[in-house]
Every structure is written in C-alpha cells, then in structure tokens.
Amino acid sequence: KGDALCQVLGFTSTDNSGTTGIEKYYNKYLSGKNGELLYETDLVGINLEGAVLPERLTSIGFMAFGGCGSLRSITIPSGTEYIDPSAFSGCYALEEINYNAIALDNMSGSAIFGDVGQYSDGITVNFGAEVKEIPAYMFACDRVTAINFAADSVCESVGERAFSGCSFVESIILPETLQSIGHYAFERCRGLTEIVIPESVTSMGES
C-alpha cells in the first residue's frame, strides 16, 4: 500500500455556497446563475390566471384545465362545440366566466362549472351578445354570485337547471329576446330577490 497526501480545499453549505477555503474564495464563479420561477400554464402555454381561448378553438377536452388552482378568469370562444365535463374540475380560484359559445351541442345534463370557485369570493358569469342558448345544468354551481347578459343579447332559451343551486345570486335580468325557460332553471337560488322575465317568454318549465 502506498502513502496518500490530501488537503481539504474548502467546505460548502447545504445549498452549495462556499463557506471556507477555496470554495469560498471562488464562490462567485462556481455558484452559477440564478434560476427562474416559472408559472403554471396549460399544454399550449396559456397563463392560467386569466385564459382567453382562441376563437378557432372548437373543443375543450378531458381535464384541459383540471386542477389549475390559479385560474381566475376564463373566456369561452364563440366557436366552441364541445366541453368535456371534467375540463374545469378543481379550478377553485375561478372568479369570472365569460361565455360566448354559440354552437355547443353536447351539454345536456353536464354541470361543466359545478366544481369551481370554492376558494374565491364568488363567480360572475357574463354571457356574450351572440349566445342564443344556455345549456342545461351548465352553470349549476353554488359559487356563482352574479349572472349578466350583454345589453344587445339575442339569447332565446335557458336550459333545464342551468342555474340550479346558484344560491348567492340576488338579481337576474333576462334579455328581451328570451322565449323559453327550462324546468327548474333557477332551482334552489335561495338568495334570489329579483328576477325580470320579459314578455317574450312563451314557454316556462316547472320551478
């Protein structure tokens, strides 16, 4: 066996910063560059605090925004044809939904926004001027606090249980173009003190 000679050149702390010896002396050269704090985005890089989806989008798939805890605002474009029931599951910070879809055709019985906004102070739902139909069950969520229609809305129908359980909504002014209101559309809206139903409505389901 041969002899060995060694010398400790220095020590580093648990974060690899030099504390003694040569490690400390050359620390500024050895420490590298500071990293970056990256924020969550979806698969196409949309900042999840406020997502305005592109007009060309036609489908929002399975868990597309599932568990996005920082998402506060979402804008659904007019060309959207399909939204998976789980698309927004777990978006607990959601505060605003801007709904512009005019071609949605698969939503009967799906409470798309039923599991959102639990950690927010409430959700405001805004309907775009071109929205003609509000799908059944779509906004059956107990975190909704306000429902607004555009001044020039052309909405013609509110689907069955569309706003069921929106117990914090106090007032709703339905558009003059409305023709039908589905069964139990405002079921369990216990905080509702005012609802303006236009004379244009010719069909109204059970309440």
Side-chain angles (χ1 to χ4, degrees), residues 7-115:
Q7 179 179 356
V8 176
L9 298 179
F11 291 94
T12 64
S13 63
T14 55
D15 64 355
N16 290 325
S17 296
T19 57
T20 62
I22 197 170
E23 289 283 354
K24 181 178 181 181
Y25 185 82
Y26 287 105
N27 186 64
K28 65 180 180 180
Y29 303 106
L30 299 174
S31 59
K33 296 182 179 180
N34 292 332
E36 297 179 1
L37 178 62
L38 301 179
Y39 294 93
E40 286 184 309
T41 63
D42 71 354
L43 293 178
V44 295
I46 296 174
N47 187 321
L48 295 184
E49 280 200 13
V52 178
L53 303 178
E55 284 298 321
R56 66 181 181 277
L57 187 72
T58 59
S59 177
I60 302 174
F62 176 76
M63 294 293 287
F65 294 90
C68 293
S70 61
L71 184 66
R72 298 184 183 278
S73 174
I74 186 73
T75 297
I76 307 296
S78 60
T80 305
E81 299 175 357
Y82 174 84
I83 303 176
D84 189 272
S86 68
F88 299 99
S89 178
C91 293
Y92 297 139
L94 199 62
E95 299 173 346
E96 181 182 52
I97 302 169
N98 298 305
Y99 183 85
N100 301 299
I102 59 176
L104 216 58
D105 61 1
N106 73 308
M107 294 297 101
S108 180
S110 298
I112 301 299
F113 295 101
D115 181 28

Side-chain angles (χ1 to χ4, degrees), residues 100 126-131 148-155 173 175-176:
N100 301 299
N126 301 310
F127 292 102
E130 298 181 354
V131 175
N148 303 316
F149 290 86
D152 52 349
S153 173
V154 296
C155 187
I173 300 176
E176 293 294 330

Side-chain angles (χ1 to χ4, degrees), residues 103-158:
L104 216 58
D105 61 1
N106 73 308
M107 294 297 101
S108 180
S110 298
I112 301 299
F113 295 101
D115 181 28
V116 299
Q118 283 83 346
Y119 301 154
S120 73
D121 291 330
I123 301 171
T124 296
V125 180
N126 301 310
F127 292 102
E130 298 181 354
V131 175
K132 287 189 175 183
E133 300 179 1
I134 299 175
Y137 293 84
M138 176 69 80
F139 300 97
C141 173
D142 63 3
R143 299 305 301 159
V144 172
T145 54
I147 299 168
N148 303 316
F149 290 86
D152 52 349
S153 173
V154 296
C155 187
E156 297 177 352
S157 70
V158 174

